[in-house]
Amino acid sequence: MKEQVSIKQIAEICGVSVATVSRVINDNGRFSEETRQKVLSAIKQTGYKPNKLAIGLRKNKSNIIGILVPDITNGFYSAVVKKCEQALSKNGYSSIVCNTDRSAEKEANYLQTLSEHMVDGIIIISTNPSDHYLNVNIPIVFIDRNPDIESKIVITSDHYYGALEATNYLIKTGFSPYIITTKTKAITTKERVRGFYDAIKQHKIDSTDRMLTLHSTSNEFLDKNTEALTFIKNISDKKIGIFTINDNVAYITLQTALKLGKKIPDDFSIIGFDDAPISKIATPQISSIHQNTDELAEKATQLLMEKLADPDNPMNVTKTIPTNLILRNTTLPS
Amino acid sequence: MKEQVSIKQIAEICGVSVATVSRVINDNGRFSEETRQKVLSAIKQTGYKPNKLAIGLRKNKSNIIGILVPDITNGFYSAVVKKCEQALSKNGYSSIVCNTDRSAEKEANYLQTLSEHMVDGIIIISTNPSDHYLNVNIPIVFIDRNPDIESKIVITSDHYYGALEATNYLIKTGFSPYIITTKTKAITTKERVRGFYDAIKQHKIDSTDRMLTLHSTSNEFLDKNTEALTFIKNISDKKIGIFTINDNVAYITLQTALKLGKKIPDDFSIIGFDDAPISKIATPQISSIHQNTDELAEKATQLLMEKLADPDNPMNVTKTIPTNLILRNTTLPS
DNA sequence: GTCAATTGAGAGAACGTTTACTCAGGAAAG
DNA sequence: CTTTCCTGAGTAAACGTTCTCTCAATTGAC
């Protein structure tokens, strides 16, 4: 093991004080060009690296941002995380990524850990409506969750409008609209369901028995089609249009419809949500509501940076990012 | 903002010295039961959280592990990262995840940042053969890369044997074997290619013109089929068996074969590598060589923990994790 | 030549911990 | 009643930085 070289050694080598070296490194304060050269070359020569722990302790700032994400394995979330990490890195921050597995308990634990690590800020991508982040006094930006607290920064896709648009499209292209969702308390889900029913209402369609709630919450989307199977079988409409709460459910629905011999997209149309990779990989490719992950992540990072620059500003901001309908092969052309 | 409470306030509240509080917190040294209760209740009451920056500075240990990953958006990598993060968390470590985008430069930068953050260890999931990690004196565990240094800890799937098995299976079920790979210097790729050719050799099959190297390295696997298209068109064998370097390429190959009207799996067989989600989502589902991501991650974490427990031990370990062939619908039964 | 202003740089406190020393007081042993 | 030993707890240094005070030396104005 090479020895870790500290600012003190640099000072010794250059025959100056520790303070002077610090000044040169941070280009802060006064020093002669000569000193500057000496210090810089000593740094290069020794491979000195500033100890962020010490800096953090002194400045009360770790330069680390925590990112809480339900499941990094999920294509939508990983896309957001990746972009967040990129944007943060550009701003000089490192990111600690934490998988919450959608568990409120894990979320609370990680929040504690992050807070101990003195992270400067936290980005929470989550759908859990629990409230344990309330007693953490670190700037937080929420992606896709809208917690019930006074001032907060929230970035969210327009789930309501996306669902509305999808449902309207199904109706417009001649299908009788249904929705398949999952059992969850997520706010995003609620918004999407609301959008679905509002579209129905607008078209004065009877809204009874139009929703199926899948009970399996896991990602093991295959072989779990029995619920969907009976639901679809029992629909008497000739042309069935299904809006699903996400692309995984859309995939399940697609497989089920194929199993039942439905003609897609002539008699059976599907629109998913998220525009996750799975929608492009499936055969036929699934139409979906695109969430702009890049913009979600960039906006979140940007707002967090603003908050960090001026922590005393309450900043009660809610930014909605528009979604758009991506038409693929489970829908008819308009 | 609530004020950050430090060990000093706890000491004041309890009317004891800072040292005593520290002793209670770490259950280290002597103190009376009475003191213990006092301190504990003060901690609970104030919501005191130990400052990991200060602890890290003092103990020269950050309790953070850096994870370098080419692309967290890739199903295989994200699975490994997720499991690593879980295992590390169980051991009391947080993880800083860094996307290298397969760029050696980014990798070097992140390595520098991680080293500044005083991470206790690094897990590198990478295929880049560059060597800039040499001047970092932090314990490193490599997943799937075998760097040319003296003592190192390497965990790798058995790429060679996996490829061998896949190719043998194609031959055994009556197909003339070909390989489609991508342009990369990755060691894993080399091993897989070697396995392919060794299988061919064992069966005394002429090895000329059996490989296509795709030039597009991006993940945009759709609409890039032209290279694959002409390659497959030019094969005169009645029964074509293709081993692909990964599942994305397998997917491209599958789409191309379908476009050409090939009968799968009767006249055209495909085996991919990684057993990534895409292989299960595609229609038909693609047979693939399964990499045991959980074991890869767990073993890596375990070995890193061992190394951290005894840093002076050189530990030159190479652990190979067996792969296995998952038969789906792009292969004939044996 | 005097005084003021500027420049370069050192001393030392502070950030929040841990831990090696130290020591007072009481119990046990003789 | 000494002496020894243990228990509980305080003191202060150290970890690697930054940054506020200093202050000496140089420069420049008059």
Side-chain angles (χ1 to χ4, degrees), chain A residues 7 19 22 26 28 48 51 54 58:
Chain A
I7 203 171
S22 171
N26 298 294
N28 173 10
Y48 162 77
N51 182 331
R58 175 63 224 242

Side-chain angles (χ1 to χ4, degrees), chain B residues 67-321:
Chain B
I67 301 180
L68 252 51
V69 56
D71 180 9
I72 209 176
T73 273
N74 174 303
F76 171 69
Y77 292 129
S78 69
V80 176
V81 169
K82 183 181 178 181
K83 199 73 190 178
C84 280
E85 197 261 350
Q86 270 178 9
L88 287 169
S89 176
K90 243 171 235 160
N91 283 277
Y93 287 89
S94 298
S95 356
I96 294 189
V97 176
C98 308
N99 255 283
T100 62
D101 276 335
R102 298 168 211 275
S103 135
E105 191 197 338
K106 277 201 180 187
E107 197 170 309
N109 284 341
Y110 274 127
L111 233 28
Q112 164 85 12
T113 308
L114 289 175
S115 144
E116 286 175 0
H117 273 299
M118 302 283 128
V119 296
D120 297 334
I122 301 181
I123 294 177
I124 300 187
I125 314 167
S126 168
T127 48
N128 254 319
S130 53
D131 283 343
H132 35 255
Y133 42 80
L134 280 175
N135 45 27
V136 170
N137 59 357
I138 301 173
I140 300 183
V141 170
F142 297 94
I143 293 184
D144 265 359
R145 162 153 84 178
N146 201 333
D148 190 21
I149 51 178
E150 273 226 353
S151 66
K152 64 205 166 185
I153 306 176
V154 177
I155 326 287
T156 174
S157 281
D158 200 339
H159 302 282
Y160 171 78
Y161 186 77
L164 192 85
E165 189 183 6
T167 312
N168 276 336
Y169 191 87
L170 289 173
I171 296 170
K172 197 174 63 182
T173 48
F175 296 90
S176 177
Y178 292 86
I179 182 172
I180 301 185
T181 178
T182 53
K183 212 178 140 196
T184 157
K185 290 178 202 148
I187 290 132
T188 55
T189 299
K190 283 193 185 137
E191 283 296 288
R192 295 177 194 177
V193 171
R194 193 166 66 83
F196 171 79
Y197 279 111
D198 273 12
I200 286 189
K201 212 179 287 166
Q202 281 173 18
H203 288 269
K204 303 205 187 342
I205 297 175
D206 178 30
S207 68
T208 49
D209 287 337
R210 295 204 167 263
M211 177 155 85
L212 165 67
T213 303
L214 295 175
H215 287 282
S216 72
T217 56
S218 90
N219 267 341
E220 304 306 316
F221 37 75
L222 303 167
D223 315 321
K224 298 248 181 172
N225 313 12
T226 58
E227 288 177 290
L229 202 80
T230 49
F231 178 71
I232 293 171
K233 257 193 197 157
N234 287 337
I235 299 175
S236 55
D237 297 293
K238 166 96 177 75
K239 289 179 69 128
I240 303 172
I242 298 201
F243 168 63
T244 64
I245 210 67
N246 62 42
D247 285 339
N248 281 354
V249 174
Y251 184 81
I252 297 176
T253 306
L254 173 61
Q255 296 307 323
T256 309
L258 289 172
K259 199 178 285 178
L260 288 171
K262 298 285 183 186
K263 277 229 173 84
I264 298 172
D266 302 297
D267 296 340
F268 197 98
S269 186
I270 305 170
I271 300 179
F273 210 112
D274 287 349
D275 193 23
I278 192 172
S279 63
K280 271 164 275 183
I281 298 169
T283 311
Q285 295 188 356
I286 302 169
S287 301
S288 186
I289 299 293
H290 175 73
Q291 286 202 66
N292 194 332
T293 50
D294 283 4
E295 203 177 334
L296 235 34
E298 272 163 5
K299 204 74 198 169
T301 307
Q302 183 203 320
L303 286 171
L304 183 55
M305 294 299 111
E306 282 177 25
K307 174 74 181 175
L308 290 181
D310 180 14
D312 296 326
N313 179 353
M315 274 189 78
N316 195 359
V317 179
T318 299
K319 172 84 185 170
T320 306
I321 310 286

